[in-house]
Amino acid sequence: MLLYNTSKRSKEEFVPGQPGKVKMYACGPTVYDYFHIGNARAFVTFDVLRRYFEYRGYEVDYVQNITDIDDKIIARSLEEKVPFQQIADKYAQAFLDDSAALGIKKPNHQPRATEVLTDIISAIQALVEKGFAYEVAGDVYFDTGALPEYGSLSGKKRDEQLPGARITENPKKRNPADFTLWKASKPGEPVWQSPWGEGRPGWHTECVVMGQKFLGDNFDIHGGGIDLVFPHHENELAQALALTGKPLANYWMHNGFLNIDGDKMSKSLDNFFTARDILEKHSAEAIRFFFLSKHYRSPIDFNPQIIEESERAVHNFHEALRSIAFGKISAEADGSFAEQEKAFIEAMDDDLNTARALAVLFELTRSVKNEQLPREKREQAALMLVKLGRVLGFFADLESKLSEQVPDLSRQLIELLLDYRKQARQNKDWALSDRIRDDLAALGVEIRDTPQGCEWKIK
Ligand code: AMP
Ligand code: ZN
């Protein structure tokens, strides 16, 4: 399997550290608000990677952190005048709920930064002792000048290593690229006790500590959106190298941006839609289909019309399965459509080419619907469609999806009976007309004759 490794700037054969096992970490949300569908793209990308490894028989240990100590959470709590913890708890729960609603499989571990404070403090102490970090007035900084490998992940040279134009120069730092490991707290901010006084950890330390705690000093994959390569992941790697001499992860994977009108969707640009809002109008499967229709590293443009198209594509899968009453088939998979499965694997093995993998699902859908084929063949196509679709995270609630047609059918049957009643009235068969009305009423369907025709409603 080939995966694009950001640190090598090329696709590489994936070789796990331990045969048959995959240890992966993906950066989770900072919980100060509901997450937007740009974030959702990152979460779904790594969910699909995890599912694909599992399908290929790997035992996967997947960690996704929850950043619950951060400037933005503090700012929100001051703004809303509610305790910091309350903001973090509210949006951490919303994150779990919305992830589940998006059909994202629960990671094996979802640690929160507040749960690993002791480990964070020990890691910072070790960095100070090893000469990779220094304290200035209650703040602790990582000394990037002490680590020759600094910049190796992002490929940034010394003069390019500025954390961001908006960050004003801090005279306490030895080098502008030095980053905060521990921050002395200001009045009114939440505090934790440390050898450097009251303060709180920096984001880059939170993530590296959670990764190492659950997956060890060197694991297989570290992922996140492309915006995290520098400085976040560069800084995580720097701390790991300084602490253990080992690269934190062997493969660094990054998803491209979800854009809106050409700009990255983000809270700061205020051009975002929360996943929660989009889920009110669209199915989780359509959102997933939309993400997967593009390669995960390419930028993707969001607009409601594309989600509509995705909705139709997903509907087409369900319609095919309904057309052969998938819920009732008892056939076992007999190895048919192995060629399609092979094509699916080839696509996914090529750095998760989900667009090509979806094309295989379309081909199977056409076979399911093809009335020229014997029914057994169509059933086999359906079994393969569902098997491969589930690898991409579709068809989780297939039973309810397949039965969704029932209300539609009820409506059609009511209309049909009303048509018969109209005929009866034209034939002046009042007894039959009344019987239809009364029988429908007994079932809870109330009808009313109006000059425009017969209207009905459910009582
Ligand atoms: P945050 O809560 O900002 O740390 O983001 C959580 C995850 O979403 C990270 O992996 C980010 O890189 C990713 N992310 C943020 N904005 C976007 C976007 N517009 N498109 C794709 N991924 C994003
Ligand atoms: Zn992170």
Side-chain angles (χ1 to χ4, degrees), residues 172-193:
K172 292 188 203 162
K173 290 184 185 177
R174 290 183 191 162
N175 183 319
D178 292 357
F179 55 92
T180 311
L181 303 175
W182 188 264
K183 204 174 201 162
S185 49
K186 298 194 197 85
E189 290 184 348
V191 295
W192 286 269
Q193 302 301 328

Side-chain angles (χ1 to χ4, degrees), residues 63-114:
V63 179
Q64 185 193 37
N65 71 295
I66 295 178
T67 302
D68 65 350
I69 309 176
D70 185 85
D71 290 350
K72 291 178 196 144
I73 306 172
I74 297 172
R76 189 81 190 239
S77 92
L78 295 174
E79 203 178 286
E80 293 191 12
K81 300 190 176 53
V82 288
F84 155 85
Q85 202 59 48
Q86 203 172 310
I87 297 284
D89 287 348
K90 173 178 169 186
Y91 293 110
Q93 189 55 51
F95 161 69
L96 297 176
D97 295 344
D98 296 352
S99 294
L102 276 170
I104 291 170
K105 204 171 153 183
K106 216 168 163 38
N108 303 81
H109 312 274
Q110 286 183 303
R112 293 169 60 152
T114 45

Side-chain angles (χ1 to χ4, degrees), residues 334-355:
D334 67 2
S336 307
F337 296 96
E339 222 173 280
Q340 281 72 12
E341 183 164 24
K342 190 163 158 265
F344 177 88
I345 291 174
E346 271 167 16
M348 294 296 282
D349 271 357
D350 184 10
D351 191 30
L352 297 191
N353 193 328
T354 51

Side-chain angles (χ1 to χ4, degrees), residues 205-434:
T205 309
E206 295 171 7
C207 267
V208 69
V209 167
M210 287 187 265
Q212 288 180 331
K213 186 176 171 83
F214 290 94
L215 300 175
D217 292 345
N218 169 252
F219 47 88
D220 296 302
I221 296 174
H222 194 315
I226 188 88
D227 52 335
L228 299 190
V229 177
F230 189 88
H232 184 51
H233 290 168
E234 188 75 65
N235 292 351
E236 279 191 55
L237 173 61
Q239 295 167 88
L241 287 171
L243 282 168
T244 69
K246 295 179 195 161
L248 184 62
N250 298 332
Y251 302 85
W252 292 82
M253 292 179 66
H254 297 95
N255 62 274
F257 288 142
L258 179 136
N259 291 328
I260 187 155
D261 299 327
D263 290 319
K264 175 196 172 195
M265 180 176 285
S266 69
K267 294 273 159 62
S268 52
L269 289 177
D270 199 20
N271 61 354
F272 64 93
F273 291 99
T274 64
R276 194 165 268 233
D277 281 347
I278 301 293
L279 277 166
E280 278 192 7
K281 296 184 208 84
H282 296 284
S283 68
E285 285 179 305
I287 298 170
R288 187 173 279 263
F289 185 97
F290 160 63
F291 293 151
L292 301 184
S293 62
K294 270 261 181 164
H295 190 267
Y296 75 92
R297 281 189 291 118
S298 306
I300 191 168
D301 250 306
F302 174 77
N303 73 54
Q305 197 192 329
I306 300 186
I307 302 270
E308 281 299 339
E309 282 164 23
S310 305
E311 202 79 78
R312 281 196 287 280
V314 169
H315 181 74
N316 194 27
F317 294 153
H318 295 138
E319 206 174 59
L321 295 173
R322 247 180 242 126
S323 76
I324 58 149
F326 184 76
K328 297 216 182 74
I329 68 175
S330 56
E332 300 275 330
D334 67 2
S336 307
F337 296 96
E339 222 173 280
Q340 281 72 12
E341 183 164 24
K342 190 163 158 265
F344 177 88
I345 291 174
E346 271 167 16
M348 294 296 282
D349 271 357
D350 184 10
D351 191 30
L352 297 191
N353 193 328
T354 51
R356 247 167 60 205
L358 285 177
V360 174
L361 299 196
F362 291 150
E363 195 188 327
L364 288 165
T365 305
R366 281 194 295 275
S367 297
V368 178
K369 283 186 157 179
N370 185 351
E371 291 178 3
Q372 311 297 316
L373 289 178
R375 181 165 174 97
E376 302 80 65
K377 197 84 189 154
R378 294 174 63 198
E379 291 186 354
Q380 288 299 324
L383 289 170
M384 187 57 82
L385 172 64
V386 171
K387 177 181 175 188
L388 300 182
R390 286 197 164 138
V391 177
L392 300 180
F394 296 110
F395 307 137
D397 55 349
L398 200 51
E399 272 174 25
S400 72
K401 276 281 159 31
L402 294 183
S403 60
E404 254 175 32
Q405 203 67 336
V406 172
D408 234 30
L409 182 65
S410 308
R411 187 178 46 75
Q412 286 165 11
L413 288 172
I414 294 168
E415 302 280 354
L416 187 67
L417 279 173
L418 291 180
D419 218 38
Y420 288 165
R421 181 168 171 267
K422 190 167 153 199
Q423 192 71 54
R425 285 164 72 90
Q426 275 164 7
N427 296 341
K428 303 202 181 338
D429 186 347
W430 310 116
L432 181 58
S433 157
D434 289 352

